[in-house]
Amino acid sequence: MTIRLYDTSARQIRDFTPLRQGCVSIYLCGATVQAAPHIGHIRSGLNFDIMRRWFEYRGLDVTFVRNVTDIDDKIIAKSAEQGRPWWAIGYENERAFSDGYRALGCLPPTYEPRATGHITEMVEMMRGLIERGYAYEADGNVYFAVTSFPDYLELSNQELDNLLQPSGDGETGKRDPRDFAMWKAAKPGEPSWETPWGRGRPGWHLECSAMAHKYLGTAFDIHGGGLDLIFPHHENEIAQAKAYGDEFARYWVHNAWVTMSGEKMSKSLGNSVLVSEMVKRWRPIVLRYYLGTPHYRSMIEYSEEALREAESAFARIEGFVQRVVEKAGGVVEPAAEVPPAFAEAMDDDLGVPQALAVVHTAVRQGNSALAADDKEEAVARLAEVRAMLGVLGLDPLDPHWAGDGDRGDDLHGVVDTLVRMVLDQREAARARKDWPTADAIRDQLNQSGLAIEDGPQGPRWSLGPR
């Protein structure tokens, strides 16, 4: 068994060899909590949740760190705009992110450190970089001197002469406009912390270098994040950490975006789709299917039609699971191992689309077994399907998704009673061979959004694709 991953730094797929046998260490750039998350934010967490699940299926012990950036320019701007404390805005949105991750079935990280809880570690790193000649203080700011680090820009493959480094207000005293801020001098009314160079607050890039060092040590296996973080964020993390003396990440894995009309989904463009609103309109397990089943390096172009297609595709899987459970008369446990073709796809750079094709093949085989009244074969296929769906976090029988299909637990019993009354009328029509009436009742139910299936135990209903 060899897992292979696309390494952005090598620009190719590489065999994955962990630093410590049997263990995997992952650092994922998490939320900047200036606003509630849209589905593009959650996609990153979901992609790396699938990665984590696959490593664990392969018997590896995973340490998964996902940070929270709870102080930055945008949070401070929101604080001034809304007249609320910066920490209140940050905490409110941090909870919204946690709710979003949880709603879509992401396992909690091993550690989820906040930037503001690690000022001591940041000061220590800056002090070391200044002593080594890689950084300098100016006007209360601390900058990293990019020309002091020969390997700068190797990740993003840019030319230093053409570099345009993003800068913020108050970044004065730079020796070179390409240098980036690790620490920003305090401004009146803004949050600040005491350092040997005066009061101020951390720069975005310093936070992750310091927290990765604290929780994963001088070297770790995988650093992840969205494509948009390659430069400047990840490039600057590498410069800080390696200049400090860390080996840092050995593999760099980046997920693609969710786009709308060809543009990256973002708050600033006003084209975001909030997770809190999406879970009211779509079942969370369907959202996970929609966001998690494309390859992590492929763009997802958001559309209602694509979501409806995902809903229909997952309904076929879920319907098979429910029918076999009914025929078996009880829960069918997942198989101990996934099929070899599924494992081969997942080992090859987390090839979820190819792995999902194996799931759908097993579902078709299982449905054929049901049609042939071959209970043993149907149960065997369901065991495989559950094992595969479990790896993807999509097993509808998992306790996490209990009640997910109801779209309103408080109304389910009422709806079930009403639908049963109508189905009884349809059964009476069928018994007297009044086929036009029976078909008309079924058509009316279908038009109402209900899918009716006739089985050995009688008709059953479910919410059909919208």
Side-chain angles (χ1 to χ4, degrees):
M1 176 270 294
T2 300
I3 296 174
R4 307 180 73 229
L5 294 172
Y6 184 86
D7 179 6
T8 304
S9 61
R11 296 173 185 80
Q12 64 180 348
I13 295 177
R14 297 173 54 202
D15 289 351
F16 176 72
T17 304
L19 274 167
R20 293 174 52 213
Q21 186 173 358
C23 300
V24 181
S25 46
I26 303 172
Y27 185 94
L28 174 64
C29 285
T32 299
V33 289
Q34 84 270 18
H38 57 62
I39 59 175
H41 293 128
I42 298 299
R43 183 193 182 184
S44 180
L46 203 160
N47 286 153
F48 284 89
D49 180 67
I50 293 173
M51 173 191 282
R52 172 191 185 170
R53 289 171 183 264
W54 184 244
F55 279 134
E56 289 179 344
Y57 171 82
R58 282 304 199 188
L60 297 163
D61 182 18
V62 179
T63 300
F64 181 53
V65 181
R66 184 182 67 213
N67 77 294
V68 175
T69 297
D70 59 341
I71 185 67
D72 84 333
D73 292 341
K74 293 177 181 178
I75 296 172
I76 293 171
K78 284 286 181 70
S79 174
E81 175 187 320
Q82 299 177 14
R84 300 172 59 206
W86 63 271
W87 46 263
I89 292 171
Y91 183 60
E92 176 183 274
N93 292 313
E94 180 182 339
R95 291 182 63 184
F97 269 87
S98 296
D99 290 345
Y101 290 131
R102 185 166 51 252
L104 269 63
C106 295
L107 301 172
T110 313
Y111 307 109
E112 194 167 23
R114 295 190 184 105
T116 55
H118 297 80
I119 303 299
T120 300
E121 290 82 0
M122 296 180 208
V123 170
E124 181 181 342
M125 182 167 280
M126 284 189 289
R127 182 183 287 114
L129 290 170
I130 290 173
E131 289 173 353
R132 292 172 174 83
Y134 290 103
Y136 59 94
E137 182 271 339
D139 300 336
N141 301 296
V142 179
Y143 297 109
F144 187 94
V146 298
T147 56
S148 69
F149 186 68
D151 294 334
Y152 191 61
L153 299 179
E154 282 197 353
L155 181 67
S156 57
N157 199 30
Q158 297 184 76
E159 294 291 335
L160 186 60
D161 290 343
N162 301 325
L163 178 65
L164 295 175
Q165 187 78 253
S167 293
D169 293 338
E171 293 186 12
T172 61
K174 283 187 179 183
R175 298 174 184 170
D176 186 319
R178 297 168 297 187
D179 295 345
F180 63 86
M182 295 192 294
W183 190 261
K184 300 185 178 186
K187 296 179 185 177
E190 288 189 355
S192 62
W193 290 261
E194 190 61 62
T195 74
W197 314 282
R199 294 191 67 83
R201 59 183 175 85
W204 178 28
H205 319 301
L206 179 64
E207 301 169 358
C208 287
S209 297
M211 289 187 284
H213 178 91
K214 178 179 177 68
Y215 292 94
L216 297 176
T218 59
F220 57 95
D221 291 308
I222 297 169
H223 196 311
L227 284 173
D228 53 320
L229 300 183
I230 293 175
F231 181 83
H233 187 48
H234 289 166
E235 197 74 75
N236 292 350
E237 279 189 62
I238 292 171
Q240 292 165 155
K242 290 195 171 182
Y244 187 65
D246 290 356
E247 182 184 340
F248 210 49
R250 299 176 68 244
Y251 296 80
W252 287 86
V253 179
H254 292 92
N255 64 277
W257 304 327
V258 179
T259 61
M260 292 181 72
S261 302
E263 294 186 271
K264 173 179 172 283
M265 186 174 287
S266 69
K267 302 184 188 82
S268 60
L269 290 174
N271 61 2
S272 59
V273 184
L274 295 181
V275 176
S276 58
E277 294 302 315
M278 292 293 286
V279 296
K280 297 175 184 176
R281 299 169 48 215
W282 302 90
R283 294 171 56 202
I285 197 170
V286 169
L287 285 175
R288 183 178 177 99
Y289 185 95
Y290 171 67
L291 294 171
T293 53
H295 195 275
Y296 75 91
R297 290 194 285 122
S298 299
M299 297 292 181
I300 299 176
E301 174 66 15
Y302 171 80
S303 71
E304 294 281 317
E305 181 182 359
L307 260 165
R308 284 192 291 271
E309 290 173 357
E311 183 180 50
S312 296
F314 187 73
R316 290 192 291 272
I317 296 173
E318 194 171 33
F320 164 70
V321 173
Q322 293 169 346
R323 285 190 293 274
V324 178
V325 168
E326 288 180 2
K327 190 169 187 64
V331 176
V332 176
E333 294 299 324
E337 296 183 359
V338 298
F342 182 94
E344 182 179 353
M346 292 298 290
D347 281 341
D348 187 12
D349 195 29
L350 303 175
V352 174
Q354 294 77 14
L356 193 64
V358 181
V359 174
H360 283 287
T361 296
V363 168
R364 288 193 294 272
Q365 293 171 344
N367 281 328
S368 296
L370 285 172
D373 201 26
D374 187 343
K375 176 181 173 181
E376 183 177 347
E377 175 68 12
V379 167
R381 296 290 75 75
L382 175 56
E384 288 181 347
V385 167
R386 285 203 67 193
M388 293 185 282
L389 292 178
V391 166
L392 301 176
L394 287 167
D395 182 0
L397 300 182
D398 187 285
H400 176 81
W401 302 114
D404 175 68
D406 296 340
R407 299 185 196 160
D409 294 340
D410 54 337
L411 293 177
H412 187 270
V414 175
V415 174
D416 184 64
T417 300
L418 294 173
V419 174
R420 290 293 169 192
M421 290 172 61
V422 178
L423 289 177
D424 287 344
Q425 294 175 20
R426 177 172 175 265
E427 287 301 290
R430 285 161 59 91
R432 61 178 184 268
K433 298 185 179 181
D434 183 358
W435 308 120
T437 299
D439 290 344
I441 291 173
R442 177 173 184 148
D443 291 343
Q444 287 179 329
L445 290 172
N446 287 338
Q447 291 172 9
S448 300
L450 299 175
I452 308 302
E453 297 182 36
D454 295 309
Q457 285 76 40
R460 57 186 299 275
W461 69 272
S462 62
L463 287 169
R466 62 196 72 198

